[in-house]
Amino acid sequence: EFDKGSESLKAMIRGSEFEWLCANIESEIEGLDFAGSKVVTIAGIELGFVGIISTDNDGYPLGKRSSYEGITFSDDLTTAISACNTISSECDFVVLLSHMGFNRDQQLAQQNAACDWVAGGHTHDLKCEKINNTHISQNNKNIRYATIAKLNIDNGTISSVEYEQVDMST
């Protein structure tokens, strides 16, 4: 969302009815303050969400460097693993909102059992697979697909999770 610079991003944030999460950003720009994670309670289950953006362009996301003036980023994979591990002690289910790309999402799943679901982007793949105990979904681009996770809850515990990729054109 940095493609058009920080002023455009701030306008998107102001117009949003949701919180923006990014664990690996450090901003000196007023109005670009991000929480790294959030825990929400739904049906008695604690769901943890962590946001992460790629740093595969010499420590920055892809795009013009001028879009990132006043902003620095920590390593995406290292920060994602740490943030998921930290929040997992507070949650029953951890979702990483990833913009690292499919290969980095796979690396995270191979190294980190604390993340239950990686809802990924950046590489615009259409993928829905499980590595270790981590489900990874990539939903193409331009909101063509969405992944729905159905958590089955028995006696206050998640008994199973089902994932379905939905074609948004239908």
Side-chain angles (χ1 to χ4, degrees):
E1 303 305 334
F2 289 93
D3 295 344
K4 296 181 181 171
S6 60
E7 290 304 314
S8 177
L9 178 57
K10 286 194 303 189
M12 284 188 268
I13 291 170
R14 281 191 304 271
S16 300
E17 295 181 14
F18 53 85
E19 293 182 51
W20 290 60
L21 302 175
C22 192
N24 66 325
I25 188 171
E26 192 67 40
S27 173
E28 299 172 2
I29 300 171
E30 186 176 332
L32 284 184
D33 302 316
F34 298 92
S37 62
K38 179 169 180 75
V39 176
V40 297
T41 304
I42 299 175
I45 299 296
E46 302 290 329
L47 303 173
F49 295 88
V50 174
I52 207 81
I53 189 167
S54 67
T55 56
D56 56 358
N57 185 27
D58 292 326
Y60 288 87
L62 292 177
K64 298 180 289 187
R65 283 291 163 94
S66 60
S67 296
Y68 308 116
E69 289 180 19
I71 302 169
T72 57
F73 302 88
S74 59
D75 179 73
D76 55 6
L77 186 58
T78 303
T79 305
I81 290 170
S82 176
C84 288
N85 285 338
T86 298
I87 201 170
S88 69
S89 65
E90 306 171 38
C91 309
D92 302 300
F93 192 84
V94 176
V95 180
L96 176 66
L97 306 170
S98 166
H99 198 263
M100 296 189 300
F102 186 65
N103 290 338
R104 299 290 272 176
D105 293 345
Q106 287 179 307
Q107 290 174 2
L108 176 127
Q110 291 165 348
Q111 296 179 38
N112 184 35
C115 183
D116 297 293
W117 178 20
V118 178
H122 185 49
T123 50
H124 306 295
D125 294 304
L126 182 60
K127 303 278 188 181
C128 202
E129 67 179 54
K130 194 170 195 174
I131 296 175
N132 293 330
N133 290 320
T134 303
H135 182 86
I136 302 172
S137 60
Q138 291 261 330
N139 292 314
N140 204 272
K141 62 188 258 184
N142 299 328
I143 313 174
R144 291 185 182 138
Y145 292 85
T147 300
I148 298 169
K150 179 181 176 186
L151 282 66
N152 298 304
I153 302 168
D154 292 323
N155 297 321
T157 303
I158 299 171
S159 59
S160 65
V161 183
E162 301 167 24
Y163 298 90
E164 178 186 7
Q165 235 167 359
V166 178
D167 182 341
M168 296 300 286
S169 68
T170 60

